[in-house]
Amino acid sequence: MHHKPAILFVCLGNICRSPLAEAAFRLEAEKAGLDAHTDSAGTAAYHVGSPPDPRSIREAAKHGIDISAYQARQIEQEDFTRFTHIFAMDRSNLSNIRAIAPEVVAARIALLMDVLDGSGGKEVEDPYYGGDHGFAVTWEVVAMAARQLAKELTS
Ligand code: 4NP
């Protein structure tokens, strides 16, 4: 039986990077005709219940997707069984995810950039303390990974 892919994108606050990765993947999945469950979460609880950063909302809007109704949440134990893939934006996120993961997990847990040939081990840098440009860069890199991931899951 084929399992419907369920993809969780994880960053620190769930207000900057992972909402953009989720949005980019939704667009790519739609284009590819891929039926996937998609969500995002943060390793930290600081922003639980908050909408994405206004800069992320603006960046997503430029690409035709409205993420203003997203609400940040923290990753939780059930995510390790609900999702088939859990993608961390950076190595700190990855080690925080691994630290709380059950010993045996069926889900693939990896850096998002590992899906791109030649970008294995690369991080999606945190744009929080910079200007709007950083969010455009974030979009660029997460969209490339999202496209490749949608392609992989469709074939
Ligand atoms: P994110 O960015 O992990 O991409 O959502 C950040 C958001 C908030 C903070 C740091 C990074 N913070 O320190 O509050």
Side-chain angles (χ1 to χ4, degrees):
M1 198 195 81
H2 226 67
H3 223 56
K4 175 172 161 172
I7 320 294
L8 183 67
F9 298 95
V10 181
C11 61
L12 176 63
N14 192 209
I15 56 167
C16 297
R17 291 165 292 175
S18 60
L20 287 181
E22 178 187 356
F25 181 71
R26 282 178 193 258
L27 287 176
E28 293 299 333
E30 195 181 338
K31 274 195 228 163
L34 173 69
D35 183 23
H37 175 62
T38 310
D39 199 5
S40 62
T43 58
Y46 321 126
H47 299 282
V48 168
S50 299
D53 187 285
R55 296 165 295 179
S56 279
I57 294 175
R58 282 199 297 275
E59 186 59 33
K62 281 189 204 161
H63 305 279
I65 185 160
D66 178 9
I67 63 169
S68 61
Y70 282 22
Q71 285 193 334
R73 72 172 181 87
Q74 190 174 23
I75 187 170
E76 57 190 17
Q77 287 301 309
E78 290 74 16
D79 291 327
F80 294 101
T81 50
R82 272 189 213 131
F83 291 92
T84 57
H85 300 68
I86 299 175
F87 288 113
M89 300 300 117
D90 64 31
R91 266 185 284 280
S92 160
N93 307 146
L94 184 62
S95 72
N96 287 327
I97 294 165
R98 291 208 168 119
I100 60 158
E103 229 167 282
V104 179
V105 186
R108 174 184 176 196
I109 302 175
L111 283 173
L112 178 61
M113 287 300 141
D114 285 352
V115 309
L116 283 175
D117 278 345
S119 292
K122 286 199 183 147
E123 302 186 301
V124 180
E125 280 178 36
D126 188 352
Y128 188 65
Y129 294 103
D132 282 6
H133 178 67
F135 287 73
V137 172
T138 299
W139 181 273
E140 241 170 73
V141 298
V142 299
M144 266 194 289
R147 195 168 311 134
Q148 177 60 27
L149 184 61
K151 197 170 140 190
E152 263 181 45
L153 294 171
T154 312
S155 56

mmCIF file of all heavy atoms in Angstrom, residues 11-17 46-47 126-129, ligand 1:
data_model
loop_
_atom_site.group_PDB
_atom_site.id
_atom_site.type_symbol
_atom_site.label_atom_id
_atom_site.label_comp_id
_atom_site.label_asym_id
_atom_site.label_seq_id
_atom_site.Cartn_x
_atom_site.Cartn_y
_atom_site.Cartn_z
ATOM 1 N N CYS A 11 11.486 24.683 12.057
ATOM 2 C CA CYS A 11 12.564 25.636 12.356
ATOM 3 C C CYS A 11 12.528 25.933 13.845
ATOM 4 O O CYS A 11 11.985 25.134 14.618
ATOM 5 C CB CYS A 11 12.435 26.900 11.501
ATOM 6 S SG CYS A 11 10.904 27.823 11.751
ATOM 7 N N LEU A 12 13.090 27.052 14.259
ATOM 8 C CA LEU A 12 13.135 27.350 15.693
ATOM 9 C C LEU A 12 11.798 27.917 16.183
ATOM 10 O O LEU A 12 11.191 27.383 17.107
ATOM 11 C CB LEU A 12 14.279 28.338 15.965
ATOM 12 C CG LEU A 12 14.416 28.846 17.398
ATOM 13 C CD1 LEU A 12 14.718 27.699 18.352
ATOM 14 C CD2 LEU A 12 15.513 29.905 17.484
ATOM 15 N N GLY A 13 11.349 28.993 15.541
ATOM 16 C CA GLY A 13 10.169 29.695 16.045
ATOM 17 C C GLY A 13 8.866 29.370 15.337
ATOM 18 O O GLY A 13 7.790 29.715 15.807
ATOM 19 N N ASN A 14 8.955 28.734 14.168
ATOM 20 C CA ASN A 14 7.800 28.461 13.303
ATOM 21 C C ASN A 14 7.098 29.740 12.854
ATOM 22 O O ASN A 14 5.880 29.768 12.669
ATOM 23 C CB ASN A 14 6.799 27.496 13.990
ATOM 24 C CG ASN A 14 5.708 26.930 13.066
ATOM 25 O OD1 ASN A 14 4.608 26.620 13.518
ATOM 26 N ND2 ASN A 14 5.987 26.805 11.785
ATOM 27 N N ILE A 15 7.875 30.832 12.734
ATOM 28 C CA ILE A 15 7.271 32.065 12.228
ATOM 29 C C ILE A 15 7.986 32.617 10.992
ATOM 30 O O ILE A 15 7.438 33.453 10.295
ATOM 31 C CB ILE A 15 7.187 33.177 13.305
ATOM 32 C CG1 ILE A 15 8.564 33.479 13.888
ATOM 33 C CG2 ILE A 15 6.179 32.802 14.401
ATOM 34 C CD1 ILE A 15 8.585 34.765 14.709
ATOM 35 N N CYS A 16 9.217 32.174 10.731
ATOM 36 C CA CYS A 16 9.965 32.705 9.582
ATOM 37 C C CYS A 16 10.183 31.658 8.492
ATOM 38 O O CYS A 16 9.565 31.718 7.434
ATOM 39 C CB CYS A 16 11.308 33.277 10.021
ATOM 40 S SG CYS A 16 11.161 34.689 11.131
ATOM 41 N N ARG A 17 11.059 30.693 8.763
ATOM 42 C CA ARG A 17 11.470 29.759 7.708
ATOM 43 C C ARG A 17 10.488 28.635 7.425
ATOM 44 O O ARG A 17 10.145 28.386 6.260
ATOM 45 C CB ARG A 17 12.839 29.143 8.060
ATOM 46 C CG ARG A 17 13.973 30.143 8.001
ATOM 47 C CD ARG A 17 15.199 29.606 8.691
ATOM 48 N NE ARG A 17 14.989 29.489 10.139
ATOM 49 C CZ ARG A 17 15.844 28.960 10.998
ATOM 50 N NH1 ARG A 17 16.982 28.457 10.539
ATOM 51 N NH2 ARG A 17 15.595 28.929 12.287
ATOM 52 N N TYR A 46 8.354 29.838 21.975
ATOM 53 C CA TYR A 46 8.195 31.299 22.133
ATOM 54 C C TYR A 46 7.016 31.890 21.387
ATOM 55 O O TYR A 46 6.413 32.849 21.830
ATOM 56 C CB TYR A 46 9.397 32.110 21.614
ATOM 57 C CG TYR A 46 10.762 31.575 21.858
ATOM 58 C CD1 TYR A 46 11.641 31.396 20.779
ATOM 59 C CD2 TYR A 46 11.198 31.279 23.134
ATOM 60 C CE1 TYR A 46 12.930 30.938 20.991
ATOM 61 C CE2 TYR A 46 12.481 30.808 23.337
ATOM 62 C CZ TYR A 46 13.338 30.640 22.271
ATOM 63 O OH TYR A 46 14.603 30.186 22.461
ATOM 64 N N HIS A 47 6.751 31.376 20.199
ATOM 65 C CA HIS A 47 5.783 32.059 19.331
ATOM 66 C C HIS A 47 4.500 31.264 19.116
ATOM 67 O O HIS A 47 3.749 31.547 18.182
ATOM 68 C CB HIS A 47 6.436 32.384 17.986
ATOM 69 C CG HIS A 47 7.598 33.293 18.109
ATOM 70 N ND1 HIS A 47 7.476 34.649 18.295
ATOM 71 C CD2 HIS A 47 8.931 33.042 18.133
ATOM 72 C CE1 HIS A 47 8.673 35.201 18.407
ATOM 73 N NE2 HIS A 47 9.572 34.230 18.316
ATOM 74 N N ASP A 126 18.760 31.454 9.286
ATOM 75 C CA ASP A 126 17.716 32.185 9.996
ATOM 76 C C ASP A 126 17.679 33.645 9.539
ATOM 77 O O ASP A 126 18.650 34.368 9.737
ATOM 78 C CB ASP A 126 18.039 32.102 11.484
ATOM 79 C CG ASP A 126 16.924 32.656 12.342
ATOM 80 O OD1 ASP A 126 15.972 33.237 11.784
ATOM 81 O OD2 ASP A 126 17.012 32.510 13.567
ATOM 82 N N PRO A 127 16.576 34.098 8.934
ATOM 83 C CA PRO A 127 16.512 35.486 8.440
ATOM 84 C C PRO A 127 15.977 36.474 9.484
ATOM 85 O O PRO A 127 15.839 37.669 9.220
ATOM 86 C CB PRO A 127 15.510 35.369 7.277
ATOM 87 C CG PRO A 127 14.532 34.327 7.752
ATOM 88 C CD PRO A 127 15.341 33.348 8.601
ATOM 89 N N TYR A 128 15.678 35.972 10.682
ATOM 90 C CA TYR A 128 14.944 36.754 11.696
ATOM 91 C C TYR A 128 15.569 38.096 12.007
ATOM 92 O O TYR A 128 14.880 39.103 12.109
ATOM 93 C CB TYR A 128 14.822 35.916 12.973
ATOM 94 C CG TYR A 128 13.928 36.489 14.044
ATOM 95 C CD1 TYR A 128 12.558 36.642 13.847
ATOM 96 C CD2 TYR A 128 14.455 36.870 15.284
ATOM 97 C CE1 TYR A 128 11.739 37.142 14.848
ATOM 98 C CE2 TYR A 128 13.649 37.366 16.289
ATOM 99 C CZ TYR A 128 12.290 37.510 16.065
ATOM 100 O OH TYR A 128 11.486 37.996 17.062
ATOM 101 N N TYR A 129 16.921 38.121 12.156
ATOM 102 C CA TYR A 129 17.577 39.358 12.581
ATOM 103 C C TYR A 129 18.032 40.242 11.423
ATOM 104 O O TYR A 129 18.693 41.252 11.627
ATOM 105 C CB TYR A 129 18.751 39.038 13.516
ATOM 106 C CG TYR A 129 18.261 38.427 14.806
ATOM 107 C CD1 TYR A 129 18.358 37.064 15.047
ATOM 108 C CD2 TYR A 129 17.627 39.230 15.755
ATOM 109 C CE1 TYR A 129 17.874 36.509 16.225
ATOM 110 C CE2 TYR A 129 17.133 38.681 16.938
ATOM 111 C CZ TYR A 129 17.263 37.315 17.164
ATOM 112 O OH TYR A 129 16.776 36.774 18.319
HETATM 113 P P1 4NP B 1 12.356 30.822 12.525
HETATM 114 O O1 4NP B 1 13.033 32.224 12.936
HETATM 115 O O2 4NP B 1 13.011 29.777 13.389
HETATM 116 O O3 4NP B 1 12.715 30.707 11.103
HETATM 117 O O4 4NP B 1 10.883 30.966 12.776
HETATM 118 C C1 4NP B 1 13.113 32.689 14.256
HETATM 119 C C2 4NP B 1 12.007 33.193 14.859
HETATM 120 C C3 4NP B 1 12.086 33.662 16.145
HETATM 121 C C4 4NP B 1 13.290 33.630 16.819
HETATM 122 C C5 4NP B 1 14.397 33.120 16.195
HETATM 123 C C6 4NP B 1 14.307 32.635 14.916
HETATM 124 N N1 4NP B 1 13.382 34.138 18.139
HETATM 125 O O5 4NP B 1 14.478 34.125 18.698
HETATM 126 O O6 4NP B 1 12.367 34.592 18.680
#
